[in-house]
Amino acid sequence: MENKKIVVGNMKMNLTAEEISDYLKEINGQVGSNRVVICPTSIYIPYFLKQDYLVGLQNTFLHESGAYTGEISPKQAASMGIAVTIIGHSERRMYFDEKDKLINEKVKEAIKQNLRVILCIGETAEERNMMRTEKVLRKQILGGLRGLEKDMFDNVILAYEPIWAIGTGEVPTNEEITKTIGYIKSLVLEIYDYESIPVLYGGSVTDKNIKELNKIPNVSGFLVGGASTKPKKFLKIIEVAVK
Ligand code: PEP
């Protein structure tokens, strides 16, 4: 059975131009897969294009063009050969106050421009402790995917990222992740009649735990933050999950 996963690196706002140059020397030519997407800080994107992996954005806006200082549109992204955009990352929700309605508009515009969207969902520690995980995920899925036609789902990937696991070194058990991904998939089937939505896991994925996480039966791949900025660690994750 085909067991190759998708690996997405979210480099966030990390590394200087000099560090990026060193990073690229180690990464380029070593990946060799269009199942790997690297999302650098956007000013560095031209350095990453036309290599042996895909390039994604960490965020895109909801309009094609116009007076929106500091934003990047999906249309601009597509015109640069960018294939993927992350939408609704918990840091965007937390620090930029992005709500489901805005996220939904961003998702739709990105799909309109034929980008693959990675929609991030996940619960806080408090919500987890209050046993509200499924409720929170349901709200984020309904809000983020509202109004999508069935054929638009071919462009959607969900990333289950428990917020308490992001950058903390804490990771749910494989059983917990399997159960939650099962819930997400069954919800998308029930509400949108879409059967094969890919669901990634994200949250403290490293070169040390990837072998274990890769055993999760229903995971389609991994969204990697911190470890994606360290070439050796990131290449190890790719080797285990993709190759
Ligand atoms: C993320 O922010 O999407 C993420 C998964 O981060 P980390 O791997 O550092 O936990």
Side-chain angles (χ1 to χ4, degrees):
M1 198 174 91
E2 174 81 13
N3 193 29
K4 287 185 182 174
K5 309 282 189 342
I6 300 162
V7 171
V8 182
N10 173 15
M11 299 178 74
K12 311 192 186 187
M13 197 179 70
N14 288 307
L15 306 189
T16 62
E18 203 180 334
E19 288 164 341
I20 286 287
S21 161
D22 294 340
Y23 181 91
L24 288 169
K25 279 182 206 143
E26 290 202 61
I27 288 277
N28 288 351
Q30 301 303 312
V31 177
S33 175
N34 62 4
R35 302 184 72 82
V36 175
V37 184
I38 302 185
C39 306
T41 312
S42 53
I43 49 169
Y44 302 133
I45 277 177
Y47 303 135
F48 284 77
L49 289 168
K50 301 198 174 80
Q51 299 298 335
D52 57 337
Y53 46 79
L54 299 182
V55 179
L57 276 161
Q58 299 171 15
N59 172 44
T60 43
F61 199 51
L62 64 149
H63 295 304
E64 278 187 18
S65 62
Y68 302 103
T69 302
E71 293 294 331
I72 298 172
S73 77
K75 187 175 183 179
Q76 291 174 309
S79 77
M80 283 288 286
I82 292 166
V84 177
T85 180
I86 298 172
I87 307 268
H89 190 278
S90 61
E91 288 149 17
R92 301 289 317 172
R93 294 179 192 257
M94 201 165 15
Y95 302 129
F96 302 93
D97 204 27
E98 292 197 5
K99 302 275 190 278
D100 290 330
K101 187 174 177 299
L102 173 73
I103 289 167
N104 179 239
E105 290 179 60
K106 289 184 171 194
V107 166
K108 285 179 178 158
E109 178 60 23
I111 294 174
K112 189 175 134 197
Q113 302 299 341
N114 216 17
L115 298 190
R116 289 297 287 281
V117 170
I118 299 173
L119 173 64
C120 298
I121 53 175
E123 81 286 0
T124 63
E126 196 189 351
E127 287 160 345
R128 178 178 196 241
N129 294 338
M130 291 169 68
M131 317 276 269
R132 286 170 52 92
T133 299
E134 291 189 356
K135 206 168 172 200
V136 170
L137 296 177
R138 185 181 175 92
K139 182 178 169 294
Q140 290 172 338
I141 290 169
L142 284 176
L145 301 180
R146 189 179 305 281
L148 259 65
E149 304 292 335
K150 196 170 173 189
D151 65 337
M152 293 165 86
F153 277 83
D154 295 344
N155 279 38
V156 179
I157 296 169
L158 292 174
Y160 170 54
E161 298 209 293
I163 295 168
W164 53 271
I166 294 181
T168 60
E170 279 187 69
V171 179
T173 64
N174 279 12
E175 290 68 34
E176 285 174 311
I177 298 172
T178 306
K179 182 170 171 276
T180 307
I181 290 180
Y183 171 73
I184 293 167
K185 282 175 174 280
S186 64
L187 190 69
V188 172
L189 179 61
E190 176 199 319
I191 297 175
Y192 299 101
D193 192 27
Y194 191 86
E195 201 156 1
S196 48
I197 189 98
V199 184
L200 312 182
Y201 168 75
S204 295
V205 176
T206 67
D207 53 324
K208 301 281 184 297
N209 60 20
I210 184 63
K211 271 201 180 138
E212 192 54 32
L213 289 167
N214 203 41
K215 292 178 188 162
I216 296 169
N218 55 1
V219 76
S220 303
F222 302 95
L223 179 46
V224 185
S228 74
T229 65
K230 310 266 185 327
K232 287 190 179 56
K233 293 183 181 189
F234 193 46
L235 287 172
K236 170 80 188 179
I237 292 168
I238 292 167
E239 192 190 307
V240 173
V242 178
K243 294 200 170 165

